[in-house]
Amino acid sequence: MDIDWAALGQVFGVSLVATVGLVGLFTLGIVGHAPRRTQDTASSGSTAAAASPAGSAGRVSQASPVARAGGYLCYALCLAAVAYGIYLIAA
């Protein structure tokens, strides 16, 4: 039995790059949908800041429409990459 180490190294390299790329893309999608916290300096240290739902971190606002669209684009690219991988395996 002879092992083709060059081909095994190529498979390892491609799968490592694809895994890191997909995880990074999915992470960008999560960041695009994450709510933003704004610093509330006027009430820091007061009892109103401790009683707010966000705690002392400030107010929470929705992600901008551009960030949400970018998040959806990242999710779509992840889905396309997974579908392509399934297509390569099934074919």
Side-chain angles (χ1 to χ4, degrees), residues 26-43:
F26 194 80
T27 302
L28 285 176
I30 291 172
V31 168
H33 285 279
R36 304 287 182 246
R37 293 186 188 266
T38 57
Q39 190 68 18
D40 192 9
T41 57
S43 64

Side-chain angles (χ1 to χ4, degrees), residues 9-87:
Q10 284 181 340
V11 169
F12 175 76
V14 168
S15 46
L16 181 68
V17 168
T19 301
V20 170
L22 276 177
V23 169
L25 200 60
F26 194 80
T27 302
L28 285 176
I30 291 172
V31 168
H33 285 279
R36 304 287 182 246
R37 293 186 188 266
T38 57
Q39 190 68 18
D40 192 9
T41 57
S43 64
S44 64
S46 68
T47 57
S52 70
S56 63
R59 292 178 290 156
V60 177
S61 63
Q62 292 285 333
S64 70
V66 174
R68 290 178 59 117
Y72 286 129
L73 178 66
C74 289
Y75 291 147
L77 289 173
C78 285
L79 181 65
V82 169
Y84 182 66
I86 292 173
Y87 167 75

